[in-house]
Amino acid sequence: MEKPKRAGDSPIAVTLEAGKRYAWCTCGLSEKQPFCDGKHKGSEFSPHVFVAEKEETKYFCACKATKNGPFCDGSHK
């Protein structure tokens, strides 16, 4: 099993829009962190896709070690 690339050492704050679809990068290779830009192609990774339920600011994992993806759970510490 491949391990994702660590894309950062701290969470990335994002203001989500209610009803909007998001694709969180799980491989760590995307140049548009924390979101997928397709760099995972050819690997075993695929983005974590979800629709935001409400407008709110959430903190996305950049270290890719979270157990609560796509959101930071402090695993980077």
Side-chain angles (χ1 to χ4, degrees), residues 33-69:
Q33 291 294 331
F35 302 113
C36 178
D37 67 1
K39 293 268 192 295
H40 66 275
K41 292 198 184 338
S43 75
E44 64 185 50
F45 293 98
S46 59
H48 176 99
V49 179
F50 70 98
V51 175
E53 295 179 15
K54 60 183 178 178
E55 184 174 324
E56 63 183 327
T57 298
K58 295 292 260 184
Y59 293 86
F60 283 72
C61 175
C63 75
K64 310 305 177 187
T66 185
K67 302 285 188 268
N68 187 34

Side-chain angles (χ1 to χ4, degrees), residues 4-13 28 33-34 59-66 72-77:
K5 178 185 174 200
R6 189 178 183 101
D9 294 323
S10 58
I12 300 168
Q33 291 294 331
Y59 293 86
F60 283 72
C61 175
C63 75
K64 310 305 177 187
T66 185
C72 177
D73 67 1
S75 294
H76 61 276
K77 294 180 181 178

Side-chain angles (χ1 to χ4, degrees), residues 21-37:
R21 183 175 168 260
Y22 294 90
W24 174 61
C25 169
T26 61
C27 71
L29 299 175
S30 174
E31 294 178 18
K32 298 184 179 205
Q33 291 294 331
F35 302 113
C36 178
D37 67 1

